[in-house]
Amino acid sequence: CSGYAYLIQELAHHAGIDCKVINGYGKTNDFKNIEVGMPNHAWNALKIDEKWYFIDATWSSGLFDLNAKTFKKQFDDTYFLVPADIFILNHYPLDIKKTNCYPKISIESFLESPIVKANAIKYHIIPLSPSKFKNILKKGEQFTIRIQIKEQLPTKDVQLKINKKIVDAEIWYSTDSIIQISYQVNKKGTFQTDIIVNDKPAISYSVKIEK
């Protein structure tokens, strides 16, 4: 990722664009392995018309197949010129106090927050509540999620998936781009809960149902 980031910086400088390399934490499904003080990722911040935007060329280029030990090209411009308030949902700088281009949230809040995937970044979807990835409810209690979608969706295709199965959740669309999704789980256990937008996962939670 550092190679991608320094290449983007060099190209930006040749084009006369203010660009910096930022080291920090990229939050994915295996975020439990993130160790504070040990960055696992690198990306770029670019200043255009006095406003900072972000690029992650690594996450835009494809993926490495660990089983086949080969790189699979899969270009995706989702992480191209993303605003700071969206980008920080799954990218956190190593030292946020030394950056002047990020909202000031704590590393603890970042690590505890829901998992935000590329599909959420694409449509500028912000999780409003619950604010944490792990949630504990009592049996029969309703789990309610509120999100804000800042970009226009091609369709109003928002679904809820529990343990990889679509469920019949109650979904309300408000006029201020806020969507509320509610579902009642009636059995004990820990459930992977995903908001699906246009057939792809966008935001993930863990829900533990107790007696």
Side-chain angles (χ1 to χ4, degrees):
C1 55
S2 295
Y4 281 98
Y6 280 102
L7 175 60
I8 292 292
Q9 183 184 58
E10 190 69 17
L11 292 170
H13 287 171
H14 276 287
I17 299 172
D18 187 3
C19 177
K20 62 176 76 173
V21 173
I22 296 182
N23 294 300
Y25 313 97
K27 188 176 178 181
T28 60
N29 288 341
D30 62 349
F31 72 97
K32 293 178 183 178
N33 295 324
I34 292 178
E35 183 178 344
V36 177
M38 298 291 290
N40 65 354
H41 199 34
W43 57 89
N44 298 94
L46 292 87
K47 193 173 187 180
I48 301 173
D49 294 332
E50 301 304 314
K51 187 175 180 179
W52 286 101
Y53 296 90
F54 296 83
I55 288 178
D56 188 335
T58 307
W59 285 10
S60 297
S61 63
L63 52 90
F64 188 80
D65 188 329
L66 293 174
N67 294 322
K69 295 184 179 180
T70 57
F71 178 77
K72 181 181 179 181
K73 289 183 180 180
Q74 191 173 310
F75 176 71
D76 182 356
D77 64 359
T78 294
Y79 289 100
F80 180 69
L81 300 182
V82 181
D85 63 329
I86 303 298
F87 199 77
I88 200 169
L89 296 175
N90 56 14
H91 290 73
Y92 193 91
L94 179 61
D95 190 346
I96 199 166
K97 293 180 181 179
K98 291 184 178 180
T99 63
N100 59 354
C101 48
Y102 265 103
K104 297 298 188 289
I105 69 170
S106 68
I107 182 64
E108 291 79 16
S109 295
F110 173 76
L111 292 176
E112 291 176 350
S113 65
I115 297 174
V116 174
K117 303 180 185 252
N119 205 32
I121 301 298
K122 180 177 182 179
Y123 295 112
H124 292 190
I125 301 174
I126 298 176
L128 300 178
S129 63
S131 60
K132 295 184 178 182
F133 171 72
K134 292 184 177 181
N135 299 271
I136 300 176
L137 286 81
K138 295 191 181 298
K139 185 178 176 181
E141 189 176 353
Q142 197 169 56
F143 183 55
T144 299
I145 302 167
R146 293 176 70 249
I147 60 174
Q148 182 178 23
I149 301 183
K150 292 191 170 185
E151 291 291 309
Q152 185 68 39
L153 291 175
T155 64
K156 286 187 175 181
D157 188 5
V158 176
Q159 298 172 296
L160 186 68
K161 186 178 284 189
I162 306 288
N163 280 358
K164 301 183 179 181
K165 291 184 179 180
I166 298 294
V167 297
D168 187 19
E170 296 178 344
I171 301 177
W172 294 272
Y173 297 85
S174 68
T175 55
D176 54 358
S177 73
I178 293 175
I179 298 175
Q180 180 171 301
I181 306 108
S182 294
Y183 184 72
Q184 183 174 302
V185 182
N186 293 311
K187 58 182 179 179
K188 284 180 58 181
T190 300
F191 302 90
Q192 177 183 332
T193 305
D194 300 295
I195 296 175
I196 308 298
V197 177
N198 293 335
D199 298 322
K200 292 184 179 181
I203 299 172
S204 296
Y205 297 86
S206 173
V207 180
K208 183 178 180 180
I209 306 298
E210 298 181 334
K211 288 183 179 180

